[in-house]
Amino acid sequence: HLSGDEKRRPEKHPAVRSRTSGKIPLASKFLTMESTQTISGYHGEPIDIQSVLQEVSVVTERTGWKRDSVSYVGEGSPEGIELIAYHRISKPSLHRIYLSTGIHGDEPAGPMAVLQLLKENIWPQGVDIFLCPCLNPTGFPLNRRENDKGIDLNRDYRDLQTRETRG
């Protein structure tokens, strides 16, 4: 039986940045916390969404997914954003599934779960799968629910004000 001070936090993916340092150690595949800290769950640590999406890209290429993307010119800025999507088609195709994650930039569980699912690569037969691993790529670097323009994408599907929801 371990006391509260002896419990270890679970290992974290390298894209999960430490709340104090904000940096990802390059020498380690997974972040670990000090052994004196207790297991207490998620504390709002931001993730490096570009690192996660890069890893998603590598895994999907290796496992036969096809990449789709929709590019948008940034509203009021010269840079654009790209919403990345993937699909895999089954023969025969009996059903279709659409999975999307990452609509809120302060909720990293979805993109991290999709990455894990892609790594495990266990999918039902006869199902076409369409996947968008991150609907809010500008909100994650800011670690906030809204996109970089301050709009909650989950509330924008009626008005379609943002480039993300128009995609």
Side-chain angles (χ1 to χ4, degrees), residues 33-54:
M33 303 306 286
E34 296 294 323
S35 61
T36 58
Q37 294 181 338
T38 61
I39 298 173
S40 56
Y42 176 69
H43 295 284
E45 300 91 345
I47 64 170
D48 179 357
I49 194 63
Q50 293 307 316
S51 294
V52 172
L53 294 176
Q54 177 61 36

Side-chain angles (χ1 to χ4, degrees), residues 66-109:
K66 303 294 183 228
R67 181 179 166 139
D68 303 304
S69 67
V70 178
S71 297
Y72 297 94
V73 174
E75 296 166 359
S77 65
E79 67 272 359
I81 64 166
E82 180 180 33
L83 291 180
I84 301 167
Y86 300 91
H87 70 273
R88 67 184 304 150
I89 304 298
S90 294
K91 304 237 185 235
S93 176
L94 305 173
H95 303 283
R96 290 184 174 173
I97 295 175
Y98 168 70
L99 298 170
S100 65
T101 70
I103 196 162
H104 298 138
D106 61 349
E107 297 174 356

Side-chain angles (χ1 to χ4, degrees), residues 10-155:
E11 291 183 344
K12 293 183 177 181
H13 187 276
V16 177
R17 292 181 289 205
S18 165
R19 191 169 241 222
T20 55
S21 73
K23 296 184 179 177
I24 303 168
L26 299 176
S28 170
K29 177 67 178 161
F30 293 99
L31 292 177
T32 58
M33 303 306 286
E34 296 294 323
S35 61
T36 58
Q37 294 181 338
T38 61
I39 298 173
S40 56
Y42 176 69
H43 295 284
E45 300 91 345
I47 64 170
D48 179 357
I49 194 63
Q50 293 307 316
S51 294
V52 172
L53 294 176
Q54 177 61 36
E55 193 168 351
V56 164
S57 178
V58 169
V59 173
T60 53
E61 186 174 326
R62 187 180 67 231
T63 56
W65 288 76
K66 303 294 183 228
R67 181 179 166 139
D68 303 304
S69 67
V70 178
S71 297
Y72 297 94
V73 174
E75 296 166 359
S77 65
E79 67 272 359
I81 64 166
E82 180 180 33
L83 291 180
I84 301 167
Y86 300 91
H87 70 273
R88 67 184 304 150
I89 304 298
S90 294
K91 304 237 185 235
S93 176
L94 305 173
H95 303 283
R96 290 184 174 173
I97 295 175
Y98 168 70
L99 298 170
S100 65
T101 70
I103 196 162
H104 298 138
D106 61 349
E107 297 174 356
M112 299 300 292
V114 161
L115 177 58
Q116 185 62 38
L117 286 170
L118 289 165
K119 286 178 177 180
E120 291 174 9
N121 198 31
I122 301 171
W123 304 97
Q125 296 295 317
V127 177
D128 296 342
I129 303 172
F130 301 87
L131 169 67
C132 186
C134 182
L135 294 171
N136 187 2
T138 63
F140 276 92
L142 302 170
N143 193 33
R144 69 179 191 196
R145 179 180 176 96
E146 303 86 3
N147 70 357
D148 62 342
K149 305 295 183 202
I151 298 171
D152 184 341
L153 301 180
N154 213 29
R155 307 283 185 256

